[in-house]
Amino acid sequence: MKFRVIPDKQTTKTPEIKNLDSFLATNKDKLEAFYNYASNRSDAVGLAANQCSLNGKRFNMRAAAIMDINTNKWILAVDPRIVKYHGLKREKAEKCLTWIGKTILADRHHFVDVEYYDLDGNLHSLTAKALQGQVWQHEINH
């Protein structure tokens, strides 16, 4: 079975973090546990926090862990957002741990500019191309 997903914009279900210092202070332990959980997975290149269950409890947080395909290191992205889409959208096949064994067909741009905060509250920006761009779009759209 295939799912069809056509995201024109990133999801608005989880609001942008308004006070980053307070958010980090309140959620630092959960964020660190999420990062450790993600970085020990070998079956994914990206995880959205809302997909995760730690110590038997599911949690929803505006965070994603994404494997940097160039360095093979995980990035913990707090409050990630796509700031610019580049190129035409193309239909891409994706797998998702939310629907194990199913294929998702999603319209994705060839590359995107992304901003996110790290665990120390530092702002980062990057351009994610090809598969890396697809992963960022997938996780942010969760």
Side-chain angles (χ1 to χ4, degrees):
M1 175 182 270
K2 295 181 180 182
F3 290 91
R4 178 135 175 90
V5 179
I6 307 173
D8 286 326
K9 298 193 179 199
Q10 54 202 342
T11 183
T12 57
K13 290 181 183 177
T14 307
E16 185 176 328
I17 296 168
K18 299 296 183 198
N19 185 322
L20 184 66
D21 291 335
S22 173
F23 177 83
L24 291 173
T26 305
N27 295 291
K28 194 162 188 165
D29 291 345
K30 277 188 188 176
L31 287 162
E32 286 175 338
F34 168 60
Y35 176 77
N36 292 334
Y37 169 77
S39 61
N40 286 307
R41 304 271 315 230
S42 60
D43 60 344
V45 291
L47 291 169
N50 60 354
Q51 290 179 272
C52 292
S53 175
L54 297 173
N55 301 323
K57 295 181 182 176
R58 283 185 75 80
F59 66 95
N60 187 10
M61 189 179 299
R62 186 110 171 106
I66 297 178
M67 169 71 77
D68 181 334
I69 296 168
N70 299 315
T71 64
N72 286 331
K73 293 185 179 178
W74 284 86
I75 296 169
L76 176 62
V78 176
D79 202 20
R81 59 189 161 277
I82 296 171
V83 294
K84 187 171 183 184
Y85 295 89
H86 299 273
L88 298 174
K89 284 192 283 186
R90 302 265 191 246
E91 188 173 84
K92 298 286 186 175
E94 301 176 352
K95 299 289 184 182
C96 186
L97 293 173
T98 302
W99 301 295
I100 294 173
K102 309 252 188 259
T103 300
I104 299 163
L105 297 176
D107 285 346
R108 302 289 185 212
H109 288 82
H110 181 62
F111 65 100
V112 291
D113 294 335
V114 178
E115 288 184 349
Y116 67 92
Y117 294 93
D118 64 20
L119 203 52
D120 296 318
N122 300 310
L123 180 64
H124 296 266
S125 39
L126 60 85
T127 297
K129 298 180 180 180
L131 176 59
Q132 194 76 66
Q134 185 177 351
V135 173
W136 278 95
Q137 290 171 82
H138 178 101
E139 298 309 336
I140 289 174
N141 285 142
H142 267 285

